[in-house]
Amino acid sequence: MSPPMAPAGWSRWLVPPAALSVHLSIGQAYAWSVFKPPLESALGLSGTQSALPFQLGIVMLGLSAAFGGTLVERKGPRWAMTVALVCFSSGFLLAALGAAVEQYWLIVFGYGFVGGIGLGIGYISPVSTLIKWFPDRPGMATGIAIMGFGGGALIASPWSAQMLESFGADSSGIALAFLVHGLTYAVFMLLGVLLVRVPRPVKTDGDGPAVLDGPQVSARSAVRTPQFWCLWIVLCMNVTAGIGILEKAAPMITDFFADTSTPVSVSAAAGFVALLSAANMAGRIGWSSTSDLIGRKNIYRVYLGVGALMYTLIALAGDSSKPLFILCALVILSFYGGGFATVPAYLKDLFGTYQVGAIHGRLLTAWSTAGVLGPLIVNWIADRQEEAGKDGSSLYTLSLFIMIGLLAVGFVANELVRPVHPRHHEPVARPQEKEASDVR
């Protein structure tokens, strides 16, 4: 499947909606916590066990992005979006079958393994294309698309909760909800497949073709630089801190205030997940656009430093203030989303645009690691604390302090980022025809 070339007069502003249709769909992953309590009740699972599909999905996201990044760059965004559609929707259908026959391993395999491949390929599918369409505002461009991934749960969380209420929270109701998800997302993602285009190459006005500006580093060379691994640590720490809350958001806020005078209902917990999704979504476009103005390193100082402060406030306040808990969680999730949206532009600044999509794919292995660490830390500690007879906010106090430490590690790693040494640059500037002059 050859990359579809934009016709003369094509507006670059049609490309972000194509990316959004895919990212809004695969962003459903952030609403997984809505399915955790019903699955635990219907299949007799612990909190750690019910997190497995989500954890495996994030692991496969990083691995498929890493191993498929170069292939995505070569075959283009339409091919990548098609693969994402097939895998993500098929994952839901397999999960529906697993719920119907009460075989949890099939839910883990379908949603986590197969669907996770769709997550990874779909996530990176528009990144390099958007950077080519918007070389003047790379942070904003990637933020627009990746905003959709953060905002997917804003739609999926209340939608999933309503389906579980209508169909029932038993295994058959869960199966039917998974089935509806798979079929609906397939149709929605198809819109992106049909709409996406790559820029038309045109000749420059000079004596020859244009060349890539600034340092250009191949994906193979990038992984050998300390800058790549510093960013890997930065992304891993930032994601671990955010994803631990996000994966367990609904039961966490319920547990936090269960013993207070204002307990949180199931519907209110689902609303909290939607609020976190909105913050995640807003942070992706807001903070990434801000990075175009103040720089990538400075914006990550905000994500990691202020994020640690927010966790400290939650840990110290405990269940004494619901508004403070919600406000701090929203800020943390805005930084979490902003970190994802800013990192492609950070990579572009350091390594150039030559193979930025492939480099981005390799960096997302940090997400795979964080996808295991974050939920494991929060769920495992909460399960152990519950066994010890603790309840309420005390289930999560230790986890919160661990997250503060991880953000501090990420802050130090960000401070160590320096320009890439010239020995890693491509020895000959690779020619590139100027992007279409009729872009508007």
Side-chain angles (χ1 to χ4, degrees):
M1 184 180 296
S2 60
M5 197 71 65
W10 183 266
S11 173
R12 66 179 180 173
W13 293 103
L14 293 174
V15 180
L20 275 172
S21 71
V22 172
H23 274 237
L24 279 170
S25 298
I26 62 177
Q28 182 281 334
Y30 283 145
W32 177 254
S33 64
V34 175
F35 285 102
K36 282 171 63 68
L39 282 170
E40 291 168 16
S41 176
L43 302 180
L45 306 173
S46 68
T48 302
Q49 290 173 324
S50 66
L52 283 176
F54 177 82
Q55 288 178 290
L56 181 57
I58 298 301
V59 168
M60 293 309 301
L61 185 157
L63 293 178
S64 60
F67 289 104
T70 303
L71 195 61
V72 169
E73 289 255 311
R74 185 167 67 247
K75 290 185 174 291
R78 176 168 287 179
W79 175 88
M81 290 180 178
T82 301
V83 172
L85 184 160
V86 172
C87 291
F88 188 66
S89 295
S90 297
F92 263 116
L93 299 183
L94 287 170
L97 177 61
V101 298
E102 298 187 359
Q103 294 294 316
Y104 187 58
W105 70 268
L106 192 53
I107 297 176
V108 175
F109 174 76
Y111 187 92
F113 184 81
V114 178
I117 295 173
L119 288 177
I121 300 300
Y123 188 86
I124 64 173
S125 62
V127 170
S128 63
T129 301
L130 282 165
I131 288 177
K132 291 172 184 175
W133 276 110
F134 294 87
D136 51 333
R137 287 175 283 181
M140 182 212 68
T142 54
I144 289 174
I146 296 176
M147 172 184 68
F149 194 89
L154 187 62
I155 300 170
S157 181
W159 182 39
S160 299
Q162 182 59 50
M163 278 195 285
L164 290 171
E165 183 177 339
S166 300
F167 301 151
D170 57 0
S171 58
S172 60
I174 296 170
L176 189 53
F178 283 154
L179 177 64
V180 173
H181 275 78
L183 297 178
T184 303
Y185 284 134
V187 174
F188 196 61
M189 293 172 76
L190 183 60
L191 298 176
V193 172
L194 298 176
L195 187 61
V196 72
R197 298 288 188 278
V198 296
R200 297 173 64 239
V202 296
K203 295 296 182 180
T204 65
D205 296 330
D207 296 329
V211 296
L212 296 170
D213 294 329
Q216 301 299 323
V217 182
S218 68
R220 177 175 295 183
S221 296
V223 297
R224 300 172 182 169
T225 66
Q227 289 81 359
F228 177 88
W229 293 106
C230 282
L231 277 186
W232 193 97
I233 293 171
V234 167
L235 185 63
C236 185
M237 297 302 99
N238 194 54
V239 173
T240 300
I243 209 168
I245 283 185
L246 195 58
E247 185 274 338
K248 200 175 174 66
M252 179 182 283
I253 193 171
T254 302
D255 291 338
F256 238 82
F257 299 98
D259 298 328
T260 67
S261 59
T262 56
V264 178
S265 66
V266 174
S267 59
F272 175 63
V273 175
L275 275 178
L276 291 181
S277 179
N280 189 353
M281 186 176 183
R284 291 174 186 242
I285 181 62
W287 294 122
S288 61
S289 297
T290 303
S291 77
D292 287 333
L293 302 175
I294 69 173
R296 321 302 171 195
K297 177 176 279 193
N298 285 333
I299 201 69
Y300 272 95
R301 285 169 174 154
V302 174
Y303 298 155
L304 299 161
V306 180
L309 175 61
M310 295 297 103
Y311 266 113
T312 302
L313 290 175
I314 293 176
L316 295 179
D319 60 4
S320 62
S321 176
K322 189 183 295 182
L324 180 64
F325 175 89
I326 294 173
L327 177 62
C328 290
L330 292 176
V331 173
I332 290 169
L333 264 294
S334 76
F335 292 159
Y336 169 81
F340 278 120
T342 308
V343 83
Y346 209 161
L347 291 173
K348 180 256 184 189
D349 293 345
L350 290 170
F351 302 110
T353 58
Y354 169 42
Q355 289 189 339
V356 66
I359 298 170
H360 184 223
R362 286 160 172 77
L363 190 74
L364 290 182
T365 54
W367 195 355
S368 294
T369 304
V372 174
L373 284 179
L376 182 62
I377 290 170
V378 175
N379 284 287
W380 187 84
I381 291 178
D383 288 343
R384 300 292 80 77
Q385 298 289 65
E386 187 174 13
E387 290 173 2
K390 296 184 179 181
D391 56 14
S393 62
S394 60
L395 295 174
Y396 304 98
T397 303
L398 178 57
S399 299
L400 296 174
F401 282 111
I402 291 174
M403 297 306 178
I404 294 168
L406 294 178
L407 288 171
V409 171
F411 190 93
V412 172
N414 183 54
E415 293 303 306
L416 296 176
V417 174
R418 298 289 186 273
V420 177
H421 194 280
R423 70 174 178 271
H424 297 291
H425 297 177
E426 289 297 289
V428 179
R430 295 177 176 266
Q432 169 181 285
E433 292 180 321
K434 188 179 179 182
E435 307 298 351
S437 60
D438 55 19
V439 168
R440 58 181 183 274

